[in-house]
Amino acid sequence: MTTVATTTPRVEPANIQVFRVYINAPAERIWQAISSGELSGKYGYGGTIEADLQAGGDYRHKASAQMLQMGLPAVVVTGQVIESDPPHRLVHMWNPIWNDDPDTRLTWEITTGSNGLSCVTLTHELLGAVATAAEVAGGGDPENGGGGWPWVLSSLKTYLETGDVMPGSGG
């Protein structure tokens, strides 16, 4: 008699997640929103981006007032700029303070078609960052936008196209 052990395989989120959104805004305006504090509080989860946009420069996402009220520290994401080619490409490390995962790598690519629409492609490399991968994938509460990068990109699009802050984001 042969005995076969069966186990349920553990499914881990992909090591690389790619998100894409088309925005009716010029690349320069999108670049401004993703690389500086000028617009970063108007989309996503709010807060202020501070980035020294040269290789080796610091990248920080400072907490919004709501995040501070929740007990988060003044800086919620840290990283280092790897590459900066305004307004087309920004590559930086991304390390959220709320979990113990290793640093992950974000690549923002912005292209503009002949019709004036800009395509934002966000590639998140998540090797060994299982908790971060699950968090940024989205798929949370659909009543409140689902979360993760889909939420951030949707609210970025909403703000840049309408000037309005998407309900529940930024502020």
Side-chain angles (χ1 to χ4, degrees):
M1 180 170 142
T2 303
T3 304
V4 177
T6 59
T7 60
T8 304
R10 180 174 175 207
V11 178
E12 294 186 11
N15 287 333
I16 297 176
Q17 296 179 15
V18 179
F19 305 90
R20 184 169 287 120
V21 65
Y22 293 88
I23 302 176
N24 189 14
E28 293 79 13
R29 184 85 166 144
I30 297 167
W31 178 265
Q32 182 183 26
I34 68 168
S35 66
S36 73
E38 227 172 305
L39 301 178
S40 58
K42 302 293 186 181
Y43 68 91
Y45 298 98
T48 304
I49 292 170
E50 291 181 350
D52 177 1
L53 296 174
Q54 56 187 330
D58 287 334
Y59 175 92
R60 287 182 295 280
H61 196 129
K62 296 174 85 175
S64 66
Q66 183 180 13
M67 291 176 194
L68 292 171
Q69 288 175 351
M70 293 169 35
L72 290 172
V75 177
V76 293
V77 175
T78 61
Q80 187 175 51
V81 173
I82 297 167
E83 181 184 341
S84 177
D85 179 19
H88 306 291
R89 184 175 166 89
L90 176 62
V91 182
H92 61 88
M93 299 307 288
W94 194 81
N95 183 18
I97 57 86
W98 55 84
N99 70 41
D100 293 328
D101 277 356
D103 288 5
T104 60
R105 179 179 165 128
L106 284 179
T107 300
W108 297 85
E109 294 177 292
I110 305 166
T111 57
T112 304
S114 59
N115 61 0
L117 279 179
S118 293
C119 177
V120 177
T121 302
L122 176 61
T123 303
H124 200 160
E125 297 173 47
L126 296 144
L127 185 61
V130 175
T132 302
E135 292 168 352
V136 301
D141 178 9
E143 293 290 319
N144 291 306
W149 290 122
W151 169 260
V152 171
L153 292 173
S154 294
S155 61
L156 173 65
K157 176 180 175 65
T158 297
Y159 178 71
L160 292 177
E161 289 185 348
T162 68
D164 295 328
V165 174
M166 191 170 79
S169 72

